[in-house]
Amino acid sequence: MTKKRIDRVSVFAECDAVVKDLPNERITSRLIGTRMGVSNTAVYKLVKQWREEAKKAQEELISQTQMSSKFVGALLTEVDARVTEMRQLDEQESTQMSQEMDEMAEQVGTLEAEIISLREQLDGRTIELATANEKLETQNKDLNDKLEAKGVELQGMTKDYAKAQVKAEAYDDLSKELADLKAKAEDLVGQNATLQAKQEATAMTISNLEASNADNIAQRNNAQEALALVNARLTDAQNALQTKTLECATLEATIGNKADSTEAK
């Protein structure tokens, strides 16, 4: 699957291609996202805009249809067909938005669970870091005390070496012990730096997930508003159908009366 550029032109072109190649297929953000190799949320707004403009074009086509006595019957049939198609589009759009809202709610729930898990990990690592810092401070203090003591001892042994005739082996062992203590101190410092880096990385991950979660919640709210608008438009279309039906019936009755008068003359 080749990933395509996400903009109005490319998304609208993909929607038009589906209408042409698959006339019975519903245009959804999931379908278009799959065909373009991206997520459904990436094309959600543009797919919604395409559906709205397609619906508007159909409404304008209906409004431009001119009524005449000669084509009343055909006009009534056309109006019924157009309104029925609009109703089906509204119902499909309502169903699709409900599905997308459910999917977004599921994504939000997953992200919230992941954030909670990461927060727990962060709390655990914070405690671990605090404990390690306490241990490090204690060990550093002990090491510093030992280093100072060994340093004093080494200085004393150096000064008294000639008089006390200390063996070279004892002096070497003391130097090696001093070097080992310094290496341990450096290793503890490295461990402390690693724990701090892990804590910062976890905090950054939580921040990114919270931002993504906020965006999904905003999209879910927008979808709810769009669903309410579709329901209102469906009601308006039903009312318009009733009005057009009454007008056509009245016009047919008028034409029939005129025809009867003409025949009577």
Coordinates of all heavy atoms in Angstrom, one line a residue, residues 65-143:
T65 N -34.5 22.3 -9.8 CA -35.5 21.7 -10.6 C -36.8 22.6 -10.7 O -37.4 23.0 -9.7 CB -35.9 20.3 -10.0 OG1 -34.7 19.5 -9.8 CG2 -36.9 19.6 -10.9
Q66 N -37.2 22.9 -11.9 CA -38.3 23.8 -12.2 C -39.6 23.0 -12.3 O -39.6 22.0 -13.0 CB -38.1 24.6 -13.5 CG -36.9 25.5 -13.4 CD -37.0 26.6 -12.4 OE1 -38.1 27.1 -12.2 NE2 -35.9 26.9 -11.7
M67 N -40.6 23.5 -11.6 CA -41.9 22.8 -11.7 C -42.8 23.4 -12.9 O -42.7 24.5 -13.1 CB -42.7 23.0 -10.4 CG -42.0 22.3 -9.2 SD -43.0 22.4 -7.7 CE -44.5 21.6 -8.2
S68 N -43.5 22.5 -13.5 CA -44.4 22.9 -14.6 C -45.6 21.9 -14.6 O -45.4 20.8 -14.2 CB -43.7 22.9 -15.9 OG -43.3 21.6 -16.3
S69 N -46.7 22.4 -15.1 CA -47.9 21.5 -15.1 C -47.6 20.2 -16.0 O -48.2 19.2 -15.7 CB -49.1 22.3 -15.7 OG -48.8 22.8 -17.0
K70 N -46.8 20.4 -17.0 CA -46.6 19.3 -17.9 C -45.8 18.1 -17.3 O -45.9 17.0 -17.6 CB -45.8 19.8 -19.2 CG -45.6 18.7 -20.2 CD -45.0 19.3 -21.5 CE -44.8 18.3 -22.5 NZ -44.1 18.9 -23.7
F71 N -44.9 18.5 -16.3 CA -44.0 17.5 -15.7 C -44.2 17.3 -14.2 O -43.3 17.0 -13.5 CB -42.5 17.9 -16.0 CG -42.1 17.9 -17.4 CD1 -42.0 19.2 -18.0 CD2 -42.0 16.8 -18.2 CE1 -41.6 19.3 -19.4 CE2 -41.7 16.9 -19.5 CZ -41.5 18.1 -20.1
V72 N -45.4 17.5 -13.8 CA -45.7 17.4 -12.3 C -45.5 16.0 -11.8 O -44.9 15.8 -10.8 CB -47.2 17.9 -12.0 CG1 -47.6 17.5 -10.6 CG2 -47.3 19.4 -12.2
G73 N -46.0 15.0 -12.6 CA -45.9 13.7 -12.2 C -44.4 13.2 -12.1 O -44.0 12.6 -11.1
A74 N -43.6 13.6 -13.2 CA -42.2 13.3 -13.2 C -41.5 14.0 -12.1 O -40.6 13.4 -11.4 CB -41.6 13.6 -14.5
L75 N -41.9 15.2 -11.8 CA -41.2 16.0 -10.8 C -41.4 15.4 -9.4 O -40.5 15.3 -8.6 CB -41.7 17.4 -10.8 CG -41.2 18.4 -9.6 CD1 -39.7 18.5 -9.7 CD2 -41.9 19.7 -9.7
L76 N -42.6 15.0 -9.1 CA -42.9 14.3 -7.9 C -42.1 13.1 -7.6 O -41.6 12.9 -6.6 CB -44.4 14.0 -7.8 CG -44.9 13.3 -6.5 CD1 -44.6 14.2 -5.3 CD2 -46.4 13.0 -6.5
T77 N -42.0 12.3 -8.7 CA -41.2 11.1 -8.6 C -39.7 11.4 -8.4 O -39.0 10.8 -7.6 CB -41.3 10.3 -9.9 OG1 -42.6 9.9 -10.2 CG2 -40.4 9.0 -9.8
E78 N -39.2 12.5 -9.1 CA -37.8 12.9 -8.9 C -37.6 13.4 -7.5 O -36.5 13.1 -6.9 CB -37.5 14.0 -9.9 CG -36.1 14.6 -9.8 CD -35.0 13.6 -10.3 OE1 -35.4 12.6 -10.9 OE2 -33.9 13.8 -10.0
V79 N -38.5 14.2 -7.0 CA -38.4 14.8 -5.6 C -38.3 13.6 -4.6 O -37.5 13.6 -3.7 CB -39.5 15.8 -5.3 CG1 -39.5 16.1 -3.8 CG2 -39.4 17.0 -6.2
D80 N -39.2 12.7 -4.8 CA -39.3 11.5 -3.9 C -37.9 10.8 -3.9 O -37.4 10.4 -2.9 CB -40.4 10.6 -4.2 CG -41.7 11.1 -3.9 OD1 -41.8 12.0 -3.0 OD2 -42.7 10.7 -4.4
A81 N -37.4 10.6 -5.1 CA -36.1 9.9 -5.3 C -35.0 10.6 -4.6 O -34.2 10.1 -3.9 CB -35.9 9.6 -6.8
R82 N -35.0 12.0 -4.9 CA -33.9 12.8 -4.3 C -33.9 12.8 -2.8 O -32.9 12.7 -2.1 CB -34.0 14.2 -4.9 CG -33.7 14.3 -6.4 CD -32.3 14.0 -6.7 NE -32.0 14.2 -8.1 CZ -30.8 14.0 -8.7 NH1 -29.8 13.6 -8.0 NH2 -30.7 14.2 -10.0
V83 N -35.1 13.0 -2.3 CA -35.2 13.1 -0.8 C -34.9 11.8 -0.2 O -34.3 11.7 0.9 CB -36.7 13.6 -0.4 CG1 -36.9 13.5 1.1 CG2 -36.9 15.0 -0.9
T84 N -35.4 10.7 -0.8 CA -35.0 9.4 -0.3 C -33.5 9.1 -0.3 O -33.0 8.6 0.7 CB -35.7 8.3 -1.2 OG1 -37.1 8.4 -1.1 CG2 -35.3 6.9 -0.6
E85 N -32.9 9.6 -1.4 CA -31.4 9.4 -1.5 C -30.7 10.3 -0.4 O -29.8 9.8 0.3 CB -30.9 9.9 -2.8 CG -29.4 9.7 -3.0 CD -29.0 10.0 -4.4 OE1 -29.9 10.4 -5.3 OE2 -27.8 9.9 -4.7
M86 N -31.3 11.5 -0.2 CA -30.7 12.4 0.9 C -30.9 11.7 2.3 O -30.0 11.8 3.1 CB -31.4 13.7 0.9 CG -31.0 14.6 -0.3 SD -32.0 16.1 -0.4 CE -31.6 16.8 1.2
R87 N -32.1 11.1 2.5 CA -32.3 10.5 3.8 C -31.4 9.3 4.0 O -30.8 9.1 5.1 CB -33.8 10.0 3.8 CG -34.1 9.4 5.2 CD -35.5 8.8 5.2 NE -36.5 9.9 5.0 CZ -37.3 10.0 3.9 NH1 -37.1 9.1 2.9 NH2 -38.2 10.9 3.7
Q88 N -31.1 8.6 2.9 CA -30.2 7.4 3.0 C -28.8 7.9 3.3 O -28.1 7.3 4.1 CB -30.2 6.6 1.7 CG -31.5 5.9 1.5 CD -31.6 5.2 0.1 OE1 -30.7 5.4 -0.7 NE2 -32.5 4.3 0.0
L89 N -28.4 9.0 2.6 CA -27.1 9.6 2.9 C -26.9 10.1 4.3 O -25.9 9.9 5.0 CB -26.8 10.7 1.9 CG -26.5 10.4 0.4 CD1 -26.4 11.6 -0.4 CD2 -25.2 9.5 0.3
D90 N -28.0 10.7 4.8 CA -28.0 11.2 6.2 C -27.9 10.1 7.2 O -27.2 10.1 8.2 CB -29.2 12.1 6.5 CG -29.1 13.4 5.8 OD1 -28.0 13.9 5.5 OD2 -30.2 14.1 5.6
E91 N -28.7 9.0 6.9 CA -28.7 7.9 7.8 C -27.3 7.2 7.8 O -26.8 6.8 8.8 CB -29.8 6.9 7.4 CG -31.2 7.4 7.7 CD -32.2 6.4 7.2 OE1 -31.9 5.5 6.5 OE2 -33.4 6.7 7.5
Q92 N -26.7 7.0 6.5 CA -25.4 6.4 6.4 C -24.4 7.3 7.2 O -23.5 6.8 7.9 CB -25.0 6.3 5.0 CG -25.8 5.3 4.2 CD -25.5 5.3 2.7 OE1 -24.6 6.0 2.3 NE2 -26.1 4.4 2.0
E93 N -24.5 8.6 7.0 CA -23.5 9.5 7.7 C -23.7 9.4 9.2 O -22.7 9.4 9.9 CB -23.7 10.9 7.2 CG -22.7 11.9 7.8 CD -22.9 13.3 7.2 OE1 -23.8 13.5 6.3 OE2 -22.1 14.2 7.6
S94 N -24.9 9.4 9.6 CA -25.2 9.2 11.1 C -24.6 7.9 11.6 O -23.9 7.9 12.7 CB -26.7 9.3 11.3 OG -26.9 9.1 12.7
T95 N -24.8 6.8 10.9 CA -24.3 5.5 11.3 C -22.8 5.5 11.3 O -22.1 5.1 12.3 CB -24.8 4.4 10.4 OG1 -26.2 4.4 10.4 CG2 -24.3 3.1 10.8
Q96 N -22.2 6.1 10.3 CA -20.7 6.1 10.2 C -20.1 7.0 11.3 O -19.1 6.6 11.9 CB -20.3 6.7 8.8 CG -18.8 6.9 8.7 CD -18.0 5.6 8.8 OE1 -18.6 4.5 8.6 NE2 -16.8 5.6 9.3
M97 N -20.7 8.1 11.6 CA -20.2 9.0 12.6 C -20.3 8.3 14.0 O -19.5 8.4 14.9 CB -20.9 10.3 12.6 CG -20.3 11.3 11.5 SD -20.9 13.0 11.7 CE -22.6 12.8 11.3
S98 N -21.4 7.6 14.2 CA -21.6 6.8 15.4 C -20.5 5.8 15.6 O -19.9 5.6 16.7 CB -23.0 6.2 15.5 OG -24.0 7.1 15.5
Q99 N -20.2 5.1 14.5 CA -19.1 4.1 14.5 C -17.8 4.7 14.8 O -17.0 4.2 15.6 CB -19.1 3.3 13.2 CG -20.3 2.4 12.9 CD -20.3 1.8 11.6 OE1 -19.4 2.1 10.7 NE2 -21.2 0.9 11.3
E100 N -17.5 5.9 14.1 CA -16.3 6.6 14.4 C -16.1 7.1 15.8 O -15.1 7.1 16.4 CB -16.1 7.7 13.3 CG -15.9 7.2 11.9 CD -15.8 8.3 10.9 OE1 -16.1 9.5 11.3 OE2 -15.5 8.0 9.7
M101 N -17.3 7.6 16.3 CA -17.3 8.0 17.7 C -17.0 6.9 18.7 O -16.2 7.0 19.6 CB -18.6 8.6 18.1 CG -18.9 10.0 17.4 SD -20.6 10.6 17.6 CE -20.6 10.6 19.4
D102 N -17.5 5.7 18.4 CA -17.2 4.5 19.2 C -15.8 4.2 19.1 O -15.1 3.8 20.1 CB -18.1 3.3 18.8 CG -19.6 3.5 19.1 OD1 -19.9 4.4 19.9 OD2 -20.4 2.9 18.5
E103 N -15.2 4.2 17.9 CA -13.8 3.9 17.7 C -12.9 4.9 18.5 O -11.9 4.5 19.1 CB -13.4 3.9 16.2 CG -14.1 2.7 15.5 CD -13.8 2.8 14.0 OE1 -13.2 3.8 13.6 OE2 -14.3 1.9 13.3
M104 N -13.3 6.2 18.3 CA -12.5 7.2 19.0 C -12.6 7.0 20.6 O -11.6 7.2 21.3 CB -13.0 8.6 18.7 CG -12.7 9.0 17.2 SD -13.3 10.7 16.9 CE -12.8 10.8 15.1
A105 N -13.8 6.7 21.0 CA -13.9 6.5 22.5 C -13.1 5.3 22.9 O -12.4 5.3 24.0 CB -15.4 6.2 22.8
E106 N -13.0 4.2 22.1 CA -12.1 3.1 22.4 C -10.7 3.5 22.4 O -9.9 3.1 23.3 CB -12.4 2.0 21.4 CG -11.6 0.7 21.7 CD -11.9 -0.4 20.7 OE1 -12.8 -0.2 19.8 OE2 -11.2 -1.4 20.7
Q107 N -10.3 4.3 21.4 CA -8.9 4.8 21.4 C -8.6 5.7 22.6 O -7.5 5.6 23.2 CB -8.6 5.6 20.1 CG -8.7 4.8 18.8 CD -8.5 5.6 17.6 OE1 -8.3 6.8 17.7 NE2 -8.6 5.0 16.4
V108 N -9.5 6.5 23.0 CA -9.3 7.4 24.2 C -9.2 6.5 25.4 O -8.3 6.7 26.3 CB -10.5 8.3 24.3 CG1 -10.5 9.0 25.7 CG2 -10.5 9.4 23.2
G109 N -10.0 5.5 25.5 CA -9.9 4.6 26.7 C -8.6 3.9 26.7 O -8.0 3.7 27.8
T110 N -8.1 3.4 25.5 CA -6.8 2.7 25.5 C -5.7 3.7 25.9 O -4.8 3.3 26.7 CB -6.5 2.2 24.1 OG1 -7.6 1.3 23.7 CG2 -5.2 1.5 24.0
L111 N -5.7 4.9 25.4 CA -4.7 5.9 25.7 C -4.7 6.2 27.2 O -3.7 6.4 27.8 CB -4.9 7.2 24.9 CG -4.5 7.1 23.4 CD1 -4.9 8.3 22.7 CD2 -3.0 6.8 23.2
E112 N -5.9 6.4 27.8 CA -6.0 6.7 29.2 C -5.4 5.5 30.0 O -4.7 5.8 31.0 CB -7.5 7.0 29.5 CG -8.0 8.3 29.0 CD -9.5 8.5 29.3 OE1 -10.1 7.5 29.7 OE2 -9.9 9.6 29.1
A113 N -5.7 4.3 29.6 CA -5.2 3.2 30.3 C -3.7 3.1 30.3 O -3.0 2.9 31.2 CB -5.8 1.8 29.8
E114 N -3.1 3.4 29.0 CA -1.7 3.5 28.9 C -1.1 4.6 29.7 O 0.0 4.4 30.3 CB -1.4 3.6 27.4 CG 0.1 3.5 27.1 CD 0.4 3.5 25.6 OE1 -0.6 3.5 24.8 OE2 1.6 3.5 25.2
I115 N -1.7 5.7 29.7 CA -1.2 6.9 30.5 C -1.2 6.5 32.0 O -0.2 6.8 32.7 CB -2.1 8.1 30.3 CG1 -1.8 8.7 28.9 CG2 -1.8 9.2 31.4 CD1 -2.8 9.8 28.5
I116 N -2.3 5.8 32.5 CA -2.3 5.4 33.9 C -1.2 4.4 34.2 O -0.5 4.5 35.2 CB -3.7 4.7 34.2 CG1 -4.8 5.8 34.2 CG2 -3.6 4.1 35.6 CD1 -6.2 5.2 34.3
S117 N -0.9 3.5 33.2 CA 0.2 2.5 33.4 C 1.5 3.2 33.5 O 2.4 2.9 34.3 CB 0.1 1.5 32.3 OG 1.2 0.6 32.4
L118 N 1.7 4.2 32.6 CA 3.0 4.9 32.5 C 3.2 5.8 33.8 O 4.3 5.9 34.3 CB 3.1 5.7 31.3 CG 3.3 4.9 30.0 CD1 3.2 5.9 28.8 CD2 4.7 4.3 30.0
R119 N 2.0 6.3 34.3 CA 2.1 7.1 35.5 C 2.6 6.2 36.7 O 3.4 6.6 37.5 CB 0.8 7.8 35.8 CG 0.5 9.0 34.9 CD -0.7 9.7 35.4 NE -1.0 10.9 34.6 CZ -0.4 12.1 34.7 NH1 0.6 12.2 35.6 NH2 -0.7 13.1 34.0
E120 N 2.0 5.0 36.7 CA 2.4 4.1 37.7 C 3.9 3.7 37.6 O 4.6 3.7 38.6 CB 1.5 2.8 37.7 CG 0.1 3.1 38.0 CD -0.8 1.8 37.8 OE1 -0.3 0.8 37.3 OE2 -2.0 1.8 38.2
Q121 N 4.3 3.5 36.3 CA 5.7 3.2 36.2 C 6.6 4.4 36.6 O 7.7 4.2 37.2 CB 6.0 2.9 34.7 CG 5.3 1.6 34.2 CD 5.6 1.3 32.7 OE1 6.6 1.8 32.2 NE2 4.8 0.6 32.1
L122 N 6.1 5.6 36.2 CA 6.9 6.8 36.6 C 7.0 7.0 38.1 O 8.0 7.3 38.7 CB 6.2 8.0 36.0 CG 6.9 9.4 36.3 CD1 8.3 9.4 35.8 CD2 6.1 10.5 35.7
D123 N 5.8 6.7 38.8 CA 5.9 6.8 40.3 C 6.8 5.8 40.8 O 7.6 6.1 41.8 CB 4.4 6.5 40.8 CG 3.5 7.6 40.5 OD1 4.0 8.8 40.1 OD2 2.2 7.4 40.5
G124 N 6.8 4.5 40.3 CA 7.7 3.5 40.8 C 9.2 3.9 40.5 O 10.0 3.7 41.4
R125 N 9.4 4.4 39.3 CA 10.8 4.8 39.0 C 11.3 6.0 39.9 O 12.4 6.2 40.2 CB 11.0 5.1 37.5 CG 10.9 3.9 36.7 CD 11.0 4.1 35.2 NE 10.9 2.9 34.4 CZ 10.9 2.9 33.1 NH1 11.0 4.0 32.4 NH2 10.8 1.7 32.5
T126 N 10.3 6.9 40.2 CA 10.6 8.1 41.0 C 11.0 7.6 42.4 O 12.0 8.1 43.0 CB 9.4 9.0 41.1 OG1 9.1 9.5 39.8 CG2 9.7 10.2 42.0
I127 N 10.2 6.6 42.9 CA 10.5 6.1 44.2 C 11.9 5.3 44.2 O 12.7 5.5 45.1 CB 9.4 5.1 44.7 CG1 8.1 5.9 44.9 CG2 9.8 4.3 46.0 CD1 6.9 5.0 45.2
E128 N 12.1 4.6 43.1 CA 13.3 3.9 42.9 C 14.5 4.8 42.8 O 15.6 4.6 43.4 CB 13.3 3.0 41.6 CG 14.5 2.2 41.4 CD 14.4 1.4 40.0 OE1 13.3 1.4 39.4 OE2 15.4 0.8 39.6
L129 N 14.3 5.9 42.1 CA 15.4 6.9 42.0 C 15.7 7.6 43.3 O 16.8 7.8 43.7 CB 15.0 8.0 41.0 CG 16.0 9.1 40.7 CD1 17.3 8.5 40.2 CD2 15.5 10.1 39.7
A130 N 14.6 7.9 44.1 CA 14.8 8.5 45.4 C 15.5 7.6 46.3 O 16.4 8.0 47.1 CB 13.4 8.9 46.0
T131 N 15.1 6.3 46.3 CA 15.8 5.3 47.1 C 17.2 5.1 46.7 O 18.1 5.1 47.6 CB 15.1 3.9 47.0 OG1 13.7 4.1 47.4 CG2 15.7 2.9 47.9
A132 N 17.5 5.1 45.4 CA 18.8 5.0 44.9 C 19.7 6.2 45.3 O 20.9 6.1 45.7 CB 18.8 4.8 43.4
N133 N 19.1 7.4 45.2 CA 19.8 8.6 45.6 C 20.2 8.6 47.1 O 21.3 8.9 47.5 CB 18.9 9.8 45.3 CG 18.9 10.2 43.9 OD1 19.9 9.8 43.1 ND2 17.9 10.8 43.4
E134 N 19.2 8.1 47.9 CA 19.5 8.0 49.4 C 20.7 7.0 49.6 O 21.6 7.3 50.4 CB 18.3 7.5 50.1 CG 17.2 8.6 50.2 CD 15.9 8.1 50.9 OE1 15.9 6.9 51.3 OE2 14.9 8.8 51.0
K135 N 20.6 5.8 48.9 CA 21.6 4.9 49.0 C 23.0 5.4 48.5 O 24.0 5.2 49.1 CB 21.3 3.6 48.3 CG 20.1 2.8 48.9 CD 19.8 1.5 48.1 CE 18.7 0.7 48.7 NZ 18.4 -0.5 48.0
L136 N 22.9 6.1 47.4 CA 24.1 6.7 46.8 C 24.7 7.7 47.7 O 26.0 7.7 47.9 CB 23.7 7.4 45.5 CG 24.9 8.0 44.7 CD1 25.9 6.9 44.3 CD2 24.4 8.7 43.5
E137 N 23.9 8.5 48.4 CA 24.5 9.5 49.3 C 25.1 8.8 50.5 O 26.2 9.2 50.9 CB 23.3 10.4 49.8 CG 22.8 11.4 48.7 CD 21.6 12.2 49.3 OE1 21.3 12.0 50.4 OE2 21.1 13.0 48.5
T138 N 24.5 7.8 51.0 CA 25.1 7.0 52.1 C 26.4 6.3 51.7 O 27.4 6.4 52.4 CB 24.1 6.0 52.6 OG1 22.9 6.6 53.0 CG2 24.7 5.2 53.8
Q139 N 26.3 5.7 50.5 CA 27.5 5.0 50.0 C 28.6 5.9 49.7 O 29.8 5.7 50.0 CB 27.2 4.1 48.8 CG 26.2 3.0 49.1 CD 25.8 2.2 47.9 OE1 26.2 2.5 46.8 NE2 25.1 1.1 48.1
N140 N 28.3 7.1 49.1 CA 29.3 8.1 48.8 C 30.0 8.6 50.1 O 31.2 8.8 50.2 CB 28.7 9.3 48.1 CG 28.5 9.0 46.6 OD1 29.2 8.1 46.1 ND2 27.6 9.7 45.9
K141 N 29.1 8.8 51.1 CA 29.7 9.3 52.4 C 30.6 8.3 53.0 O 31.7 8.6 53.4 CB 28.5 9.6 53.4 CG 29.0 10.2 54.7 CD 27.8 10.5 55.6 CE 28.3 11.2 56.9 NZ 29.2 10.4 57.6
D142 N 30.1 7.0 52.9 CA 31.0 5.9 53.5 C 32.3 5.8 52.7 O 33.4 5.6 53.3 CB 30.3 4.6 53.4 CG 29.1 4.5 54.4 OD1 29.1 5.4 55.3 OD2 28.2 3.7 54.2
L143 N 32.2 5.9 51.3 CA 33.4 5.8 50.5 C 34.3 7.0 50.8 O 35.5 6.8 50.8 CB 33.0 5.8 49.0 CG 32.3 4.5 48.5 CD1 31.9 4.6 47.1 CD2 33.4 3.3 48.6

